Amino acid sequence: MKVLDKNKPVFYVGDHHGDWGQLFWFINRLKIENCYLISVGDSGIGFRIKKEQLSDIKLLNKKFKKLNIVFMSIRGNHDDPSYYNGDGRIELSNFELIEDYTVMEHNGKLIQFIGGATSIDRSMRKEGISYWSGEGLNFNKDKLQKVDTLITHTAPPWCFPQRFNKMVYDWAQDDGYLLEELTLEREVMGEIFKVCRPSLHLYGHFHSSWSEEVNGCKHRLLNINEIWGEH
């Protein structure tokens, strides 16, 4: 288990979909440095050919290093899972992509990371280019454990949003299993919470900002490029 430097604060950032220029604009505006910056997914990894993607990641590593920021990210539905798992996983000095179910420790508190979600517009995307069949939440109960903080891309059913909006229903007209799979995914997240029982939960995916305490857990949904930390 990786133990994070207790002298470095941890900040979290919402989806940014590969718009690194915009992300660094927010980082500079908020004067963020000397910290961990953890993305809740949809960093837009994999939308470029592999050679270009790896080159971009090396440049990003240098940029984060100059600010003494260690950037880490779980996978969202708009990320190629191959960069997050197995031999292809990215782990540089200041840029790391986190494998599902990884647990880290910071200041004596345990953090578990679980990525993945379903794209509502998958019917119009191209496999291996803008969509990956392994994008969804992969449930592995044996790897779950009681933690203080849970970082996910999607959320359990009691979190916002609790209902499908018109956009989801529109896409479902061309994707017969979409509503069923979205509902199941949220229910599986609920089962994950029964084991992990965190006191803090951060997630993205829904492009909005929301915070509420439910059953002793403080849930926080981060909007696009929203940066949040308890420090």
Side-chain angles (χ1 to χ4, degrees):
M1 179 175 62
K2 177 178 287 191
V3 178
L4 304 181
D5 185 348
K6 65 180 180 180
N7 296 312
K8 278 188 173 183
V10 177
F11 293 93
Y12 298 92
V13 61
D15 307 21
H16 65 276
H17 302 104
D19 190 345
W20 297 98
Q22 184 80 342
L23 176 59
F24 277 104
W25 184 87
F26 279 102
I27 289 171
N28 293 328
R29 180 187 179 193
L30 298 171
K31 295 180 171 60
I32 291 175
E33 58 184 9
N34 307 315
C35 67
Y36 295 98
L37 181 61
I38 300 176
S39 167
V40 297
D42 275 6
S43 292
I45 302 295
F47 282 81
R48 306 192 70 180
I49 63 173
K50 191 166 187 177
K51 183 178 179 180
E52 293 177 355
Q53 184 67 81
L54 293 175
S55 178
D56 286 351
I57 288 171
K58 288 179 181 178
L59 289 174
L60 289 167
N61 186 66
K62 290 180 180 179
K63 287 185 177 182
F64 282 116
K65 194 170 187 176
K66 285 183 179 179
L67 296 170
N68 196 25
I69 293 174
V70 178
F71 175 86
M72 297 188 284
S73 179
I74 64 171
R75 65 181 182 90
N77 50 302
H78 297 315
D79 292 304
D80 180 349
S82 69
Y83 289 91
Y84 294 76
N85 301 294
D87 294 337
R89 188 174 78 85
I90 301 297
E91 185 177 12
L92 303 180
S93 61
N94 291 72
F95 191 101
E96 179 177 355
L97 302 180
I98 305 172
E99 189 169 2
D100 288 348
Y101 296 96
T102 294
V103 176
M104 299 183 189
E105 180 185 326
H106 183 253
N107 274 332
K109 292 187 176 181
L110 296 179
I111 309 169
Q112 186 155 42
F113 303 88
I114 305 173
T118 299
S119 298
I120 63 171
D121 60 352
R122 62 189 181 182
S123 61
M124 57 78 69
R125 292 179 174 270
K126 285 192 173 184
E127 172 72 36
I129 297 175
S130 59
Y131 165 78
W132 294 270
S133 57
E135 66 169 13
L137 174 66
N138 296 321
F139 183 52
N140 191 332
K141 189 173 183 178
D142 292 338
K143 291 185 177 181
L144 294 171
Q145 67 179 77
K146 171 72 178 73
V147 292
D148 301 285
T149 302
L150 186 62
I151 309 301
T152 65
H153 192 57
T154 187
W158 56 85
C159 289
F160 178 88
Q162 296 175 338
R163 296 179 179 86
F164 298 135
N165 60 20
K166 183 179 182 299
M167 186 184 299
V168 175
Y169 285 113
D170 286 347
W171 283 112
Q173 292 179 11
D174 298 317
D175 189 339
Y177 295 105
L178 181 62
L179 297 181
E180 179 183 352
E181 291 180 20
L182 291 174
T183 300
L184 178 60
E185 188 168 76
R186 300 291 295 270
E187 291 173 351
V188 169
M189 279 301 309
E191 293 301 310
I192 288 172
F193 267 78
K194 290 179 182 178
V195 179
C196 293
R197 292 177 288 128
S199 57
L200 175 64
H201 170 229
L202 292 109
Y203 67 107
H205 188 46
F206 298 106
H207 301 176
S208 188
S209 187
W210 173 86
S211 180
E212 186 174 336
E213 185 170 319
V214 181
N215 296 328
C217 178
K218 180 181 179 182
H219 298 272
R220 189 171 191 99
L221 165 60
L222 298 179
N223 206 344
I224 294 173
N225 281 318
E226 179 181 355
I227 297 175
W228 179 87
E230 291 187 300
H231 306 275

